[in-house]
Amino acid sequence: MSSVIGFRDTWPFGYRLYNVAVATLLLVTLSPTILLLAFLLLITQGPNILYFGPRMGKNQRPFQIIKFRTLCPKRARAITADRTLPADANIETRLGKILREVRLDELPQLVNIIRGDMNICGPRPVRPEIAAIESRRIKGYEKRFDVRPGLIGPTQACFGHGASKRIRARMNNLAVNRPVNIAAELSLLVRIGSSILHRIGKKSVKFAKRFSTGKTSAFKDIYLSDIVQNKPSLVHRIDMSSLSVRGVDLPSDGHLAIRLHSGALRRARVKLTQSGAPGIFNYKPVNEVDAFVIERYALGRVIIPPRVAWSIESRQPELAGQEAGI
């Protein structure tokens, strides 16, 4: 996907017309959804439903981004003064967490596109404070300001909210050097829309299953291996900081192996500590690349999550033997 997306517009006037046309069409088509969200936010958190905040646009020109408000204002200002929101901050409003997860809080940015602040596709908009910090920390970070920021893009689709800025910058800089590919943009837009609808559907099913007593023996194909003894064990649950396995001695170092639907493997190194409960480990990724792999492939905390294979628990010995060489 990222190999065909480009941000460099070779026909500025035509590309501008395209952005206005698509944003206007989406705004009209999605107006019932936008009005419904506005009504739900109004009755759950009062009249202050929109967020206006400074962002850096093309040539570092500041503009005010428009989003649905999803965070408690005072706590958000304190926590995000010089950084992006941590994954475990838990300062979302009553509907904020679900809106942020499915990215519906971004819909008002269609107005920013019509106004000329943003494009449909481009780097994620950043606050001036973050831009100043990352420009000193990451070589070539300012290249993103050669183009307008975007509502969608490879980093918005494939990275979670707290993903590494260094990896994001690398991907953005590659796209800034490539010419715009409208067909690729529209394809990405359709994929994002389909994924959001799918995620909303999955959440509805999960909510319905709360009232069901049925059990399942299926698990995602994710394994924890001891680096020294290289003995893989099926991971039964994983979140941002802990994971559970059965019947494994505590390794201080290990790696997660995630098998994709295509059969390919993605690996992430982790540091493990005992949580106090049998089979439950706290973990930390070794570096930002490992953190990205876990967030994208093991947790699926991105707009377009990869297809991870599913295994049946009874197949664990067979699969463990296959994994012995990883």
Side-chain angles (χ1 to χ4, degrees), residues 255-258 265-269 289-290 293-294 297 323 325-326:
H255 63 239
L256 290 173
I258 305 104
L265 287 174
R266 296 293 182 268
R267 301 183 182 89
R269 294 173 297 163
V289 175
D290 297 314
V293 170
I294 292 171
Y297 295 99
E323 292 293 334
I326 63 176

Side-chain angles (χ1 to χ4, degrees), residues 51-55 63-67 106 109 112 118 125:
Y51 164 81
F52 297 87
R55 295 293 188 272
F63 69 95
Q64 291 290 309
I65 199 171
I66 311 171
K67 302 172 66 174
E106 313 279 359
Q109 290 172 44
N112 286 116
M118 298 170 56

Side-chain angles (χ1 to χ4, degrees), residues 197-314:
L197 290 175
H198 180 67
R199 291 169 75 92
I200 293 173
K202 284 178 65 177
K203 287 193 171 294
S204 300
V205 171
K206 285 183 180 179
F207 180 78
K209 282 185 176 180
R210 290 182 182 180
F211 302 97
S212 171
T213 57
K215 294 183 179 179
T216 178
S217 60
F219 297 89
K220 282 189 176 181
D221 216 348
I222 304 175
Y223 286 82
L224 171 68
S225 293
D226 182 340
I227 287 179
V228 177
Q229 299 182 2
N230 204 22
K231 295 180 179 179
S233 297
L234 185 65
V235 172
H236 292 264
R237 181 189 59 79
I238 182 170
D239 57 30
M240 291 294 292
S241 60
S242 67
L243 54 86
S244 66
V245 295
R246 292 182 185 172
V248 78
D249 294 330
L250 173 68
S252 59
D253 298 286
H255 63 239
L256 290 173
I258 305 104
R259 187 182 297 279
L260 304 185
H261 191 268
S262 64
L265 287 174
R266 296 293 182 268
R267 301 183 182 89
R269 294 173 297 163
V270 292
K271 295 285 187 180
L272 295 155
T273 55
Q274 182 68 55
S275 69
I280 307 294
F281 299 143
N282 296 322
Y283 76 89
K284 287 186 178 180
V286 171
N287 57 41
E288 59 188 18
V289 175
D290 297 314
F292 163 70
V293 170
I294 292 171
E295 185 175 35
R296 172 163 170 73
Y297 295 99
L299 301 177
R301 294 169 62 95
V302 293
I303 297 181
I304 303 180
R307 295 183 66 192
V308 176
W310 289 82
S311 61
I312 304 301
E313 190 175 18
S314 60

